[in-house]
């Protein structure tokens, strides 16, 4: 039998845990089983019509060819206006790269900035793809453990406890996937202080910035004094505008870093899809009340889901502050998050993601998305309650 050589940095990677949940759900459906998949992060709303129309118009007028690798000027200008007005980030269109999704923006940025011998600091629990991206870049991950009993609070002491002289990069995500936490000003100050004192570049992943509840304030780290020159702001259109399948994101930051990231982007993606970028222009420059309608629905659902989960013996679920995920601690059941997730998919036919997919601090938790229809959420919570006792 032929023995294939595979790069060790790839061999040690795990497949995406969130996609694994969806794959298992699809396999069960093919067997005729009614499965409710709450493992992913795809808004259940359609992309607003005016955005679709803008992309269709672009296709029909011939915008179906290569465009500038950094993105069409119209979209980069619109992004710059948005970042200046809403986020108070001093950025120009030349300091922006449009990418095929926010994930691509993160990947090219990490690949450009770190390599063997470098350390990258991230918070645990954190999104499943940060660590694999760092591993593929050849760098080492430093995990800052955040505790559920402290509501996953970030402190300067917790960061500096794992910091090394080789730390070159820090990844911050707010609102957070999976915990739903929104960065407070005190936490942001701690991050800013450490980054400046230890000369660390920060990647601020703000993909859920529009999905925030109870009047909380979204804080962009690049807007803090002295941070614009050391912060890469990553965002996209997937969550706020229900455009996950469009694969449209961007990274914005200081020109010297953007020039280096541009090399990786141009040699990999070439450019983001041309006509999708015109949809992005329409999203930013068109009516924003479409976001308000979606967030209002997710607000209602987060309260319903949290209340139902807290009524299940052994489950403890804080009310999410942002994004559209619940992250209940299920250790009171006597099972790990992995075991609970397995039990739910096989017995309740409800797909959720085990918490340890997001780091060791999440091992006693599961993540479920409430970005799905109310009727499906109600049925899913009934099934979960039936398996674990009402």
């Amino acid at each position: 039998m032929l023995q294939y050589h595979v790069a060790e940095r790839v061999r040690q990677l795990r497949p995406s845990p969130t996609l694994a949940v969806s794959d298992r759900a699809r396999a069960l459906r093919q067997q005729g089983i009614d499965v409710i998949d709450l493992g992913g992060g795809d808004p259940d709303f359609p992309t607003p019509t005016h955005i679709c129309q803008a992309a269709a118009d672009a296709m029909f007028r011939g915008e179906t060819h290569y465009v500038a690798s950094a993105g069409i000027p119209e979209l980069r200008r619109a992004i710059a206006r948005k970042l200046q007005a809403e986020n108070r980030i001093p950025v120009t269109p030349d300091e922006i790269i449009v990418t095929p999704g926010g994930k691509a923006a993160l990947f090219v940025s990490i690949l450009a900035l770190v390599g063997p011998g470098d350390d990258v600091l991230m918070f645990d629990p954190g999104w499943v793809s940060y660590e694999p991206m760092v591993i593929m870049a050849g760098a080492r991950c430093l995990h800052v453990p955040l505790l559920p009993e402290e509501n996953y609070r970030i402190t300067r002491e917790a960061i500096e406890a794992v910091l090394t002289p080789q730390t070159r990069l820090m990844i911050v995500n707010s609102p957070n996937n999976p915990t739903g936490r929104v960065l407070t000003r005190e936490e942001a100050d701690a991050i800013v202080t450490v980054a400046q004192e230890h000369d660390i570049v920060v990647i601020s992943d703000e993909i859920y910035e529009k999905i925030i509840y109870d009047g909380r304030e979204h804080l962009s780290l690049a807007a803090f004094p002295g941070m614009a020159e050391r912060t890469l702001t990553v965002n996209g259109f997937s969550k706020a505008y229900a455009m996950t399948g469009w694969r449209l994101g961007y990274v914005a930051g200081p020109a010297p870093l953007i020039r280096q990231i541009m090399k990786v982007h141009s040699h990999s993606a070439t450019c983001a899809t041309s006509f999708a970028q015109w949809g992005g222009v329409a999203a930013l420059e068109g009516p924003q009340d479409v976001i308000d309608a979606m967030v209002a629905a997710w607000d209602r659902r987060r309260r319903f889901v949290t209340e139902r989960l807290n009524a299940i013996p052994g489950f403890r679920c804080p009310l999410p502050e942002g994004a559209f995920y619940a992250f209940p601690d299920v250790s009171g059941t006597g099972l790990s998050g992995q075991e609970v997730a397995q039990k739910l998919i096989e017995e309740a036919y409800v797909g959720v993601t085990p918490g340890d997919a997001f780091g060791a601090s999440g091992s006693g938790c599961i993540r479920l998305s409430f970005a799905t229809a109310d009727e499906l959420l109600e049925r899913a919570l009934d099934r979960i309650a039936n398996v674990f006792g009402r």
Side-chain angles (χ1 to χ4, degrees):
M1 180 178 178
L2 181 62
Q3 296 295 311
Y4 293 101
H5 175 77
V6 177
E8 182 57 33
R9 67 181 183 280
V10 174
R11 192 184 298 278
Q12 63 181 301
L13 298 179
R14 290 191 302 167
S16 169
T18 51
L19 295 181
V21 173
S22 297
D23 289 344
R24 179 59 180 152
R26 274 191 290 271
L28 289 171
R29 287 194 189 107
Q30 288 172 357
Q31 298 173 28
I33 297 172
D34 175 27
V35 179
I36 302 173
D37 182 9
L38 304 181
D42 193 350
D44 61 309
F45 297 97
T47 304
T49 303
H50 70 281
I51 299 174
C52 296
Q53 189 62 56
D57 290 346
M59 279 192 281
F60 285 116
R61 67 171 179 264
E63 302 280 358
T64 56
H65 300 276
Y66 291 133
V67 294
S69 190
I72 61 173
E74 292 82 357
L75 181 53
R76 283 185 286 138
R77 286 196 293 265
I79 293 169
R81 286 193 293 269
K82 179 257 189 247
L83 291 174
Q84 292 163 7
E86 296 183 9
N87 305 86
R88 299 187 297 279
I89 298 175
V91 66
T92 68
D94 290 339
E95 295 172 317
I96 294 166
I97 302 172
V98 179
T99 59
K103 183 180 283 189
L106 288 163
F107 187 66
V108 295
S109 298
I110 292 169
L111 203 60
L113 296 186
V114 296
D118 296 329
D119 290 340
V120 178
L121 188 145
M122 60 191 68
F123 297 94
D124 180 347
W127 183 50
V128 298
S129 291
Y130 294 141
E131 183 168 12
M133 290 178 184
V134 171
I135 291 171
M136 283 188 276
R140 184 175 67 152
C141 300
L142 305 176
H143 293 273
V144 179
L146 305 178
L147 304 176
E149 56 268 27
E150 296 179 0
N151 196 24
Y152 305 105
R153 186 168 65 97
I154 296 171
T155 65
R156 177 177 176 174
E157 293 73 23
I159 299 171
E160 291 184 331
V162 302
L163 211 58
T164 69
Q166 291 75 42
T167 305
R168 303 286 177 256
L169 189 62
M170 184 190 313
I171 302 174
V172 182
N173 174 216
S174 178
N176 180 267
N177 173 12
T179 67
R181 272 294 317 282
V182 173
L183 205 63
T184 65
R185 189 159 292 275
E186 181 184 17
E187 291 172 307
D189 286 340
I191 291 166
V192 166
T193 299
V194 172
Q196 292 178 342
E197 289 187 358
H198 296 271
D199 193 21
I200 299 169
V201 171
V202 174
I203 291 180
S204 183
D205 181 355
E206 304 183 13
I207 192 71
Y208 295 100
E209 67 159 334
K210 298 288 188 181
I211 308 169
I212 203 163
Y213 310 109
D214 300 327
R216 288 182 174 83
E217 178 188 13
H218 172 71
L219 300 174
S220 289
L221 294 173
F224 282 67
M227 288 300 289
E229 60 264 36
R230 66 169 67 252
T231 303
L232 292 169
T233 301
V234 171
N235 209 327
F237 298 81
S238 292
K239 312 300 182 180
Y241 298 98
M243 294 171 65
T244 50
W246 293 61
R247 309 315 304 134
L248 196 61
Y250 58 87
V251 55
L257 293 183
I258 290 296
R259 282 195 294 270
Q260 301 306 313
I261 295 167
M262 188 65 204
K263 296 176 186 177
V264 182
H265 170 70
S266 63
H267 283 299
S268 53
T270 301
C271 62
T273 303
S274 54
F275 47 86
Q277 294 190 48
W278 287 100
V281 174
L284 292 177
E285 297 187 342
Q288 302 299 298
D289 55 351
V290 293
I291 300 175
D292 297 334
M294 289 189 285
V295 172
W298 291 326
D299 186 9
R300 182 184 70 250
R301 293 170 185 173
R302 74 174 175 127
R303 296 177 186 277
F304 167 74
V305 167
T306 302
E307 181 180 348
R308 289 293 306 272
L309 288 172
N310 281 325
I312 298 172
F315 283 56
R316 186 183 65 82
C317 186
L319 189 65
E321 300 171 359
F324 40 58
Y325 306 105
F327 198 60
D329 183 335
V330 296
S331 57
T333 64
L335 302 175
S336 68
Q338 279 278 359
E339 291 168 329
V340 168
Q342 184 69 21
K343 192 174 180 69
L344 289 178
I345 191 66
E346 302 300 339
E347 297 182 26
Y349 303 125
V350 175
V352 301
T353 308
D356 64 357
F358 306 95
S361 295
S363 61
C365 303
I366 58 173
R367 191 200 74 172
L368 56 89
S369 168
F370 48 85
T372 193
D374 295 59
E375 183 266 337
L376 286 177
L377 281 175
E378 188 165 354
R379 285 171 51 203
L381 269 297
D382 285 343
R383 294 182 185 186
I384 294 172
N386 285 336
V387 167
F388 284 95
R390 291 186 177 275

